[in-house]
Amino acid sequence: MSGNVKDELNRRALLTGGAAALTAACASGPTPTSPPSRGRFLWGAATSGHQIEGNNIASDFWTLEHVRPSPFAEPSGDACDSLHRWDEDISIVHQLGLNAYRFSVEWSRIQPEQGCWSQAMLDHYSRMVDVCVSRGIAPVVTLNHFTAPGWFAAAGGWATTSAADLFAAFSEKVSRALADRVSHMVTFNEPNLALGGRWSSSPPGPAYISAIEACVASAARANGSDRFVVLLAHPEPRKLIRNVVAAHVQARAAIRSVRSSLPVGLSLAIPDDVAVVANSVIEAKRADVYGPFLDVMRDDDFAGLQTYGRDYIGTERAIPLPPSAARRPDGREWFPAAVGNAARYLHNATGKPVLITENGIDAADDAERARFIPEAIASVDAARQSGIPIIGYLHWSLLDNFEWLSGYGPKYGLVAVDRTTFRRTIKPSAWRYAEIVSARLT
Ligand code: IFM
């Protein structure tokens, strides 16, 4: 980005309070206003608790990371220490001139044991919401971003019919604490991810499946249980989906019982699916992977979309990249326009306005991200111009963070985080994004 825009954004951050004022506001307690950005297009960045907070020790994933054997490249550990540095993170969102920040609340911190609620953690997330609002940033809050409490997994998790009641009770607690100031509430993050494996061009092989099974069995033993049920680490995820869908429906009702006007939805992982042959199984794949959620989403307020690329669907599953595809230096496809196409599909499938809750690129070379962002946004613009109601674009991710099984290797962040000092460094791609947003919000 040009130095001028960067200076202008920094000047604006200073004029409207900036980081120093934010710190002061935290200390003295900011005065929340009404939720910002209602009716405005949301330009933001996204994170999730487990991936950035650090030491989420009561969660199911923490156990999976630490038992042996474990397929995780490394444990999440301190992550980005955002449990303590969240105000700095929000300050960066503000400095970039964005008007939305998506983050998730960690169920295992709020309910570390069944029947035990932490008011202190509800207060913590409430302060995050307050600071967002006081900075003119719309807080988009996710209730479940993959992780759940260890006690929940050890009691059967999403395999039990009581899961919906337990999740709805948690959702109501969070709503009572935050809903009056939250902009949008996302119940589940990519609950369909576990269904996609068999349609992939390289479905999980027996070695991978047995590694996950051994890890889960070890986690169950570590908890003195005969089971440890985690949606993303279950051999038969389809058996759990009915309970997840019920949990979404009950959580939505719980949220609306607290604040009926708060927009609620869930976010699906949806690539730009393309039929490559006349007898492609594209519709069978869509019915199998998205279908279980599409019906209930028709009663939501928005449809959350998370897109990272394109799938070429053949006669049985996705096929490997065709030779004609444009490739990145590492061989992966270069196709930033996937997000606009997927938004079209999701709106047509649900009839709902689409909130792009994630879109981004794993790029060690930040110059690739700086090229990706304008092209992705151009595809969103094109979809909007053709009449698709899209209400926001939240880039994944604000920070380089814990990328689940892959540990800290992948780099999705607009901001680099030093793994020892936790120092944040805003990357050039973030300023490129800021420049595009600045031209639209002024
Ligand atoms: O990091 C993940 C995120 O937790 C869910 N959506 C995809 C991202 C990149 O893999």
Side-chain angles (χ1 to χ4, degrees), residues 3 61 131 155 171 188 217 221 252 266 272 308 327 330 353-354 386 406:
F61 271 71
V131 169
S171 303
F188 282 92
R221 279 194 300 278
R252 183 179 63 199
L266 63 80
D272 177 16
Y308 287 88
R327 286 174 192 264
D330 64 7
V354 173
S386 70
S406 308

Side-chain angles (χ1 to χ4, degrees), residues 295-309:
D295 276 348
V296 288
M297 289 172 79
R298 291 187 190 104
D299 291 325
D300 288 352
D301 300 296
F302 63 88
L305 173 69
Q306 316 207 152
T307 300
Y308 287 88

Side-chain angles (χ1 to χ4, degrees), residues 140-201:
V140 176
V141 172
T142 309
L143 292 169
N144 179 279
H145 196 116
F146 298 147
T147 49
W151 61 260
F152 176 77
W158 302 111
T160 64
T161 48
S162 56
D165 288 342
L166 293 168
F167 185 67
F170 161 67
S171 303
E172 185 176 337
K173 272 272 181 209
V174 174
S175 300
R176 293 208 178 281
L178 314 182
D180 57 334
R181 289 147 294 141
V182 161
S183 161
H184 293 73
M185 195 82 102
V186 178
T187 57
F188 282 92
N189 177 80
E190 300 180 347
N192 67 320
L193 196 62
L195 304 179
R198 71 175 250 219
W199 299 95
S200 135
S201 57

Side-chain angles (χ1 to χ4, degrees), residues 9 12 34-46 90-102 129 131-140 181-184 355-356 384 391-395 398 433-434 437-438 440-442:
L9 284 164
R12 225 184 292 154
S34 56
S37 303
R38 179 51 71 91
R40 278 171 102 194
F41 193 85
L42 299 180
W43 290 107
I90 297 171
S91 172
I92 291 171
V93 173
H94 179 61
Q95 206 184 333
L96 293 173
L98 306 179
N99 68 4
Y101 180 45
R102 175 183 175 223
V129 170
V131 169
C132 284
V133 172
S134 71
R135 306 310 304 156
I137 294 167
V140 176
R181 289 147 294 141
V182 161
S183 161
H184 293 73
L355 175 58
I356 298 164
R384 291 175 77 190
I391 58 176
Y393 175 88
L394 310 177
H395 192 82
L398 179 67
Y433 182 34
V437 171
S438 160
R440 287 145 189 258
L441 287 180
T442 46

Side-chain angles (χ1 to χ4, degrees), residues 83 86 109-112 116-128 177-178:
L83 190 64
W86 57 271
R109 294 193 197 275
I110 291 171
Q111 195 179 14
C116 159
W117 299 97
S118 168
Q119 186 58 47
M121 284 313 303
L122 288 166
D123 291 348
H124 161 79
Y125 290 118
S126 183
R127 279 193 294 276
M128 288 183 70
L178 314 182

Side-chain angles (χ1 to χ4, degrees), residues 168 172 187 247-260 264:
E172 185 176 337
T187 57
H248 167 70
V249 171
Q250 281 187 225
R252 183 179 63 199
I255 296 160
R256 287 179 176 160
S257 76
V258 175
R259 183 177 148 213
S260 58
V264 185

Side-chain angles (χ1 to χ4, degrees), residues 65-116:
E65 292 159 24
H66 287 269
V67 291
R68 289 292 170 265
S70 171
F72 283 81
E74 57 189 316
S76 49
D78 284 329
C80 304
D81 193 30
S82 289
L83 190 64
H84 304 108
R85 295 168 200 257
W86 57 271
D87 55 348
E88 192 181 343
D89 297 341
I90 297 171
S91 172
I92 291 171
V93 173
H94 179 61
Q95 206 184 333
L96 293 173
L98 306 179
N99 68 4
Y101 180 45
R102 175 183 175 223
F103 61 92
S104 73
V105 294
E106 280 297 334
W107 185 358
S108 65
R109 294 193 197 275
I110 291 171
Q111 195 179 14
E113 295 289 347
Q114 190 166 8
C116 159

